[in-house]
Amino acid sequence: MNLMKSIGMAALGIATAAILSGASAMADPLPYPNKVVTLVTHSSPGGGSDVFLREMTKHLGKYIGATFIVENAQGGSGAKAMARVATAPADGSVFYATTPTYIYTSLMSKPQNTYKDLDPLVNIFADSEVIYTRTDGPFKSLKDVIEHAKKERGRWGAANPASLERQAAEQLKRAAGVTPAIVTHEGGGDMMLNVLNGTLDIGIGEIQELRSQLDAGTITLLATFNPERIVEKPDVPTVKESGFDVSLVKFRGLAGPKGIPETTTAIWDEAIKKLLEDPDYKKAYTAEVLVPQFIPHKDYPAFIDNFGSTTEAFLKSTGAIK
């Protein structure tokens, strides 16, 4: 072997080693103070937050050195889950899946522990609220649903009484001038069954909890509450395009007990940024029409406080609370 070839082979070996070393470093998860982390949701199995957490935990271990488990603490429209987390140790071992539900529950039900007793950790996604119906049913558009409601009142499905889905249904009722019965559910699974068997005209939920039925063609999306059409679902009109001036977007993040150390919140900030760029996870969350909306720990409390005060003003204006 001549000298130049030997130098070339050595350089190639060094470069390969450096690449492998860099890949190994990138793959090493961030050290974490707890071996097990519990992520709590108020959703039933198969509900939006449950699906969100279970998919995320498949990938999160690559970026945080812990084992993640999902706990379904159902009851009280999120009151039980908030109490579970608010009273947990503030050591980074327990977090709650935040959505607008925990704001609405806090304001409308006044539980023992409210969203103000939790420390917003980080926001991860914005989520689309959609209106769906059974494909073999009588409704082919949102206008069909509204016309039916004008004639026969009808029945609409939503999540628990203190959810964004319920508020979306109430706002649509008011915008359309109709009075359908709003039937609430603790989880998306029960609501889906009632849409499929014709007990409900429509359901309101998120695409990730509808995925299997959408893929099977048994349900059809009629509209989205998004301000603009969903990029992955360009044929689905917005509620506003359908003639009813209502726009809503759901946030998805995490919160923990008050007093989480800054060293722990910094780990989550760094890990979530990396997680959202993970090719495998990006493929999964794009399929579920989740839009990355990273809000770091330093900014998330202000975001939640603003959402809370805006929601409180709206609920007071409608007479839902005093």
Side-chain angles (χ1 to χ4, degrees):
M1 182 180 295
N2 61 41
L3 179 62
M4 292 303 295
K5 187 172 181 180
S6 297
I7 293 173
M9 291 294 289
L12 179 61
I14 293 170
T16 302
I19 291 170
L20 291 174
S21 174
S24 175
M26 288 178 63
D28 289 340
L30 296 168
Y32 198 71
N34 305 98
K35 291 183 178 180
V36 178
V37 177
T38 301
L39 302 179
V40 180
T41 174
H42 58 262
S43 289
S44 61
S49 289
D50 177 76
V51 174
F52 152 63
L53 289 179
R54 292 185 190 281
E55 183 59 44
M56 183 173 70
T57 56
K58 295 177 184 177
H59 309 272
L60 193 53
K62 289 186 280 184
Y63 303 100
I64 294 179
T67 298
F68 295 90
I69 61 174
V70 177
E71 178 182 316
N72 301 88
Q74 298 170 246
S77 299
K80 183 177 179 180
M82 281 191 284
R84 162 78 171 93
V85 177
T87 57
D91 59 0
S93 63
V94 181
F95 293 100
Y96 173 70
T98 55
T99 69
T101 292
Y102 93 127
I103 305 289
Y104 283 107
T105 293
S106 298
L107 295 171
M108 297 177 70
S109 303
K110 302 187 185 303
Q112 183 175 355
N113 296 107
T114 73
Y115 77 94
K116 293 183 179 180
D117 295 316
L118 300 179
D119 184 9
L121 177 67
V122 61
N123 195 69
I124 305 170
F125 292 115
D127 200 354
S128 303
E129 296 287 1
V130 294
I131 299 171
Y132 66 95
T133 191
R134 60 190 176 100
T135 301
D136 61 357
F139 309 112
K140 306 306 176 187
S141 69
L142 179 55
K143 290 182 178 179
D144 289 345
V145 175
I146 300 302
E147 287 302 314
H148 175 75
K150 289 179 179 178
K151 296 175 182 177
E152 301 183 33
R153 194 180 180 203
R155 291 165 62 87
W156 299 355
N160 59 65
S163 65
L164 186 65
E165 292 85 356
R166 174 61 186 264
Q167 295 305 315
E170 295 292 348
Q171 289 191 41
L172 180 57
K173 278 176 57 176
R174 187 165 63 170
V178 294
T179 59
I182 306 297
V183 184
T184 56
H185 304 72
E186 279 291 338
D190 292 340
M191 180 166 57
M192 174 64 72
L193 289 174
N194 287 329
V195 171
L196 291 174
N197 66 26
T199 301
L200 299 172
D201 301 332
I202 57 171
I204 298 173
E206 299 96 36
I207 288 179
Q208 64 264 31
E209 63 186 1
L210 312 177
R211 174 60 60 192
S212 60
Q213 299 297 338
L214 280 172
D215 290 345
T218 56
I219 63 169
T220 298
L221 302 184
L222 297 180
T224 174
F225 284 97
N226 272 14
E228 300 177 349
R229 292 196 181 201
I230 301 169
V231 174
E232 291 80 6
K233 301 288 182 183
D235 295 333
V236 178
T238 66
V239 170
K240 194 167 185 176
E241 284 178 321
S242 301
F244 312 102
D245 191 11
V246 183
S247 296
L248 296 164
V249 177
K250 189 170 193 171
F251 62 82
R252 289 198 179 279
L254 297 171
K258 289 284 189 179
I260 302 168
E262 289 186 10
T263 51
T264 299
T265 64
I267 292 171
W268 281 92
D269 280 348
E270 184 176 348
I272 293 300
K273 284 190 289 186
K274 292 178 178 178
L275 176 68
L276 289 172
E277 293 301 319
D278 182 286
D280 293 333
Y281 188 45
K282 184 177 288 190
K283 183 178 180 180
Y285 70 67
T286 299
E288 304 299 346
V289 198
L290 290 171
V291 179
Q293 188 183 48
F294 173 68
I295 303 176
H297 177 68
K298 68 181 180 67
D299 299 323
Y300 200 33
F303 172 90
I304 293 297
D305 287 344
N306 180 67
F307 189 96
S309 59
T310 302
T311 301
E312 184 174 12
F314 167 75
L315 292 174
K316 286 182 177 179
S317 73
T318 61
I321 61 173
K322 295 182 179 180

